[in-house]
Amino acid sequence: MNAEPGESEPNRAETADNIDRRVFTRLGVMTIVWIILLVVSGVLLLFFGPSLADLVV
């Protein structure tokens, strides 16, 4: 599209692979973050669950 006459256009498949790689990397990082948050919240509930139950009841 914007390529000069002497330049070749970037390979579309290579560009798509780079975009896919970035998307899956972000998904992987967010998955790990969510798992860590769930584990931390579970541990907090194990320690503070009984005292929270006393507050509610």
Side-chain angles (χ1 to χ4, degrees), residues 18-38:
N18 287 338
I19 291 172
D20 288 345
R21 188 173 293 117
R22 275 188 262 140
V23 168
F24 285 118
T25 300
R26 288 178 186 166
L27 281 175
V29 169
M30 289 307 297
T31 302
I32 292 170
V33 167
W34 276 108
I35 289 172
I36 290 172
L37 285 174
L38 287 173

